[in-house]
Amino acid sequence: MSANPISRCAPVWVLLLLCGSWGMSAAWAADLSVRENAGQLEFFVDFLAGTRCEAEGGCAVTLRSQDGTAQAGRDYVAVDRTVRWRQGDEGARSVVVEIIDNAERDGNRTFTLVSSDAVGLLQTGTRSVEIIDDESSPLATGSSSTVTAPATEIGDVIDLVCPQIQNAEDNTDAAALRRDCNSLLAAEQNNDPQFAAALRSIAPDQVGASVGVGRQTMNAQIKNVGTRLTALRENRVGVLSGLLLRMGDHALAVEDLLPPSGAGAGETEGVGSPLSFFINGELSAGDRNGTTREEGFEFTSTGLTLGLDYRRNDGWVLGAALGLSSTTSDFDSGGDLEAVGTFATFFASRQLSRFYIEGGATVGISAFDQARKIQYTLSDGTAVDQAVSASFDGSEYSLFFNTGTELLLPRQLSITPRARIELIQLDVDGFTEDTVSASGDAGDGWRTRIDAQNSRSFLVGLGAQISWIRNRENAVWVPYGALEWVQDFDAEKSNVSGQFVGDPTGETFVFVSDSPDDSYYKLNLGTSVLFTGGRSAFIDYSNLLSIKHNSVHSFNLGFRWEY
């Protein structure tokens, strides 16, 4: 919005003056339009230029909304307010109408703003407001199953920008955008059946994945530190942490499992030393299903963490760890995104019999490398085969607190109720795409400049794990199952905004994400086995339940042995 929208409004022969939030002037007699994903429409009520409120009791006007094809509560938030000035006041009063976004292809809708009951003002009237559906732009020809919200948004911006840059001052970026614009506009005018596919390829909808990939990269560090904290719950030190049977988020010490037979695996060096060293690794994989708002992708993530912890005489354990993690994502369109993060974690733990408390903080920085492809062929023979890339940075912060207690049951069963709280903040820097293919080639004008992004989560988890210890002649088997309910109290849609690099008007496109999963369940099933001689192995299956777009089925297999 312009810093002073009123100053851009021309005088008119009515008392009310209205300006859109984009800073363009319009009289109260002019109708308005707003994109569905804009979030709000802001307009200003003012006096005629050079006048002010002269009424002794002050001036006022009542503004109300009336439904048309757009309905209050579904498409916008109803307006019913009185705008007031004291005697002698001058200047505009702002009125904001909240616009409700949805994922439905419900077409453009209209409602009416009515000004009435004027005191000290001379004019009243009605104005029509059109909400432009961002899922069904007339630009995006093709079947509804292939039209995406980012493509529609890009189409709207192209229709605004391209006519305005025909006489813009020439530079390399503007000339490239004008060339690609003219080719695409010709395809639109000719009802080219390839037009929708071109918009989908131009739209940089994968840029919104940066926050999620950065979070996955940090998760490797958090899980690796969690493995060490699990060992500390058993009051073990030194290399003994390597002799724990992993069972989801829980572990059992080997000396608690091995049948007595002289010197067991629990008799290791380092027991009694207050200082211990650990090294842990993590491997995970998953995918996200594509929707009309976000592109699908598959990812793999690895992480390695090294740390030290110190056991105090009062029972507290204080520790620090450094980690390196990497996540690679392959998008359905052929692009990719890689994040490499470096992390530092500081933590503390206290064991009170079978009850434990622990907490810590993680900070990190990540380097991102992104590449995407712009590929389409129009019916007139225009072929675009362009690759663009960008490198940018991000930062991550996390605070966590865990607590729980282990309850022993008959028949070598145990159950561990537990609870956790975690705060996560991720910030990703803005970036400008560069051309990978030869600069000046067709499609070079579609490069974008993306604004900074951020995300925050406040997670609360409640769950329990049940384990069953089975002693055999040459091994100890521990099958287990765990279920946790997770609630994210800060989950909300995220917006990614940007502009075309060559656009001198600075017109901004906005991509709105799908509604995030704010509540879900995590299920773990598996078994651990400890062989004689300190060798161990585990297999684990995990699945996230009650989530809308992600399909996450994970198998983990691990081996461990003592030198």
Side-chain angles (χ1 to χ4, degrees):
M1 185 183 72
S2 169
N4 186 10
I6 298 303
S7 66
R8 309 180 76 177
C9 298
V12 291
W13 296 108
V14 292
L15 188 58
L16 289 176
L17 192 67
L18 181 142
C19 292
S21 60
W22 48 89
M24 298 178 61
S25 63
W28 181 248
D31 293 335
L32 298 173
S33 64
V34 59
R35 295 195 197 110
E36 181 183 86
N37 62 359
Q40 64 182 30
L41 170 69
E42 182 178 19
F43 61 90
F44 296 82
V45 183
D46 200 359
F47 299 96
L48 285 172
T51 65
R52 61 181 181 177
C53 179
E54 302 291 352
E56 182 176 350
C59 300
V61 64
T62 297
L63 300 176
R64 296 185 177 91
S65 60
Q66 293 182 352
D67 286 350
T69 54
Q71 297 182 13
R74 186 193 69 182
D75 302 303
Y76 70 98
V77 177
V79 177
D80 187 357
R81 61 168 294 188
T82 300
V83 184
R84 301 181 185 276
W85 293 260
R86 293 177 299 181
Q87 184 179 17
D89 281 355
E90 58 183 351
R93 296 290 189 267
S94 171
V95 179
V96 173
V97 182
E98 300 294 333
I99 306 299
I100 300 174
D101 193 11
N102 61 46
E104 303 297 326
R105 294 175 52 81
D106 42 9
N108 298 350
R109 290 90 68 207
T110 60
F111 66 95
T112 302
L113 291 172
V114 180
S115 63
S116 61
D117 302 327
V119 177
L121 302 178
L122 301 177
Q123 295 287 338
T124 58
T126 62
R127 299 287 74 80
S128 176
V129 179
E130 182 181 31
I131 300 175
I132 300 174
D133 185 22
D134 60 344
E135 281 81 30
S136 56
S137 166
L139 283 169
T141 58
S143 68
S144 61
S145 63
T146 62
V147 176
T148 64
T152 301
E153 175 72 0
I154 283 294
D156 289 341
V157 171
I158 288 174
D159 245 11
L160 290 172
V161 169
C162 289
Q164 299 183 53
I165 66 173
Q166 297 304 316
N167 298 316
E169 182 178 348
D170 264 338
N171 60 59
T172 302
D173 293 330
L177 180 59
R178 182 164 54 245
R179 176 203 62 217
D180 294 331
C181 270
N182 291 339
S183 174
L184 198 65
L185 288 178
E188 177 192 358
Q189 293 168 0
N190 294 328
N191 295 319
D192 191 331
Q194 302 302 317
F195 182 66
L199 288 181
R200 291 195 302 273
S201 186
I202 293 167
D205 48 351
Q206 70 186 52
V207 298
S210 303
V211 168
V213 170
R215 180 164 175 172
Q216 178 61 39
T217 304
M218 184 175 65
N219 281 345
Q221 171 77 354
I222 294 174
K223 291 178 182 178
N224 285 338
V225 172
T227 302
R228 179 56 180 171
L229 287 171
T230 299
L232 292 175
R233 294 172 200 164
E234 301 293 336
N235 285 319
R236 305 295 189 260
V237 294
V239 298
L240 190 58
S241 64
L243 299 177
L244 294 176
L245 294 185
R246 178 181 173 186
M247 299 179 296
D249 294 328
H250 185 59
L252 292 177
V254 294
E255 64 265 42
D256 291 341
L257 299 178
L258 285 177
S261 59
E267 300 176 11
T268 66
E269 294 183 32
V271 177
S273 172
L275 186 67
S276 60
F277 165 81
F278 64 94
I279 177 171
N280 292 321
E282 175 72 17
L283 172 65
S284 60
D287 61 73
R288 189 193 192 283
N289 298 325
T291 68
T292 58
R293 291 186 179 274
E294 297 185 49
E295 185 173 358
F297 62 88
E298 297 178 349
F299 74 88
T300 57
S301 180
T302 59
L304 184 67
T305 301
L306 298 91
L308 292 167
D309 51 59
Y310 181 80
R311 184 182 300 274
R312 292 162 49 100
N313 292 331
D314 58 6
W316 282 98
V317 177
L318 308 178
L322 296 177
L324 181 66
S325 304
S326 174
T327 300
T328 300
S329 301
D330 295 317
F331 291 88
D332 295 346
S333 64
D336 59 77
L337 175 63
E338 181 178 4
V340 178
T342 304
F343 302 92
T345 302
F346 303 91
F347 58 88
S349 176
R350 178 71 187 273
Q351 187 85 24
L352 301 172
S353 184
R354 294 191 177 273
F355 174 78
Y356 68 88
I357 55 173
E358 57 196 25
T362 297
V363 296
I365 55 175
S366 294
F368 295 83
D369 289 302
Q370 174 186 284
R372 68 182 182 97
K373 297 180 180 180
I374 306 173
Q375 296 174 316
Y376 60 87
T377 301
L378 301 176
S379 297
D380 65 1
T382 300
V384 171
D385 187 3
Q386 189 67 257
V388 296
S389 66
S391 297
F392 49 98
D393 297 322
S395 55
E396 300 88 10
Y397 314 90
S398 174
L399 297 173
F400 68 89
F401 174 79
N402 305 329
T403 187
T405 185
E406 184 180 32
L407 306 175
L408 300 180
L409 303 176
R411 300 182 180 275
Q412 295 183 296
L413 292 171
S414 68
I415 187 170
T416 305
R418 58 199 182 199
R420 66 182 176 98
I421 297 175
E422 187 172 5
L423 301 174
I424 301 174
Q425 173 74 35
L426 295 100
D427 300 302
V428 178
D429 296 343
F431 60 88
T432 299
E433 292 179 318
D434 295 318
T435 303
V436 177
S437 308
S439 179
D441 286 354
D444 182 45
W446 301 130
R447 293 183 298 115
T448 61
R449 182 182 298 108
I450 303 300
D451 300 329
Q453 306 172 55
N454 59 75
S455 174
R456 182 175 60 191
S457 291
F458 174 32
L459 303 175
V460 173
L462 299 173
Q465 177 170 294
I466 187 167
S467 307
W468 186 28
I469 302 173
R470 303 296 296 163
N471 288 317
R472 293 294 181 262
E473 182 178 353
N474 297 319
V476 178
W477 293 82
V478 187
Y480 62 87
L483 184 65
E484 181 186 42
W485 167 75
V486 181
Q487 176 72 42
D488 187 348
F489 290 95
D490 262 348
E492 59 182 17
K493 289 183 178 181
S494 61
N495 295 341
V496 180
S497 59
Q499 309 83 34
F500 289 117
V501 173
D503 176 16
T505 71
E507 183 69 30
T508 296
F509 54 79
V510 179
F511 299 154
V512 181
S513 72
D514 294 305
S515 298
D517 296 294
D518 58 0
S519 181
Y520 54 91
Y521 295 90
K522 181 182 178 183
L523 172 68
N524 285 82
L525 298 172
T527 186
S528 297
V529 57
L530 176 66
F531 302 99
T532 57
R535 294 169 298 146
S536 63
F538 72 88
I539 185 171
D540 178 87
Y541 166 79
S542 64
N543 186 17
L544 298 182
L545 309 177
S546 300
I547 54 177
K548 295 188 291 290
H549 304 302
N550 292 358
S551 178
V552 182
H553 299 272
S554 177
F555 287 91
N556 294 327
L557 178 66
F559 302 92
R560 197 67 181 268
W561 58 91
E562 179 186 8
Y563 289 99

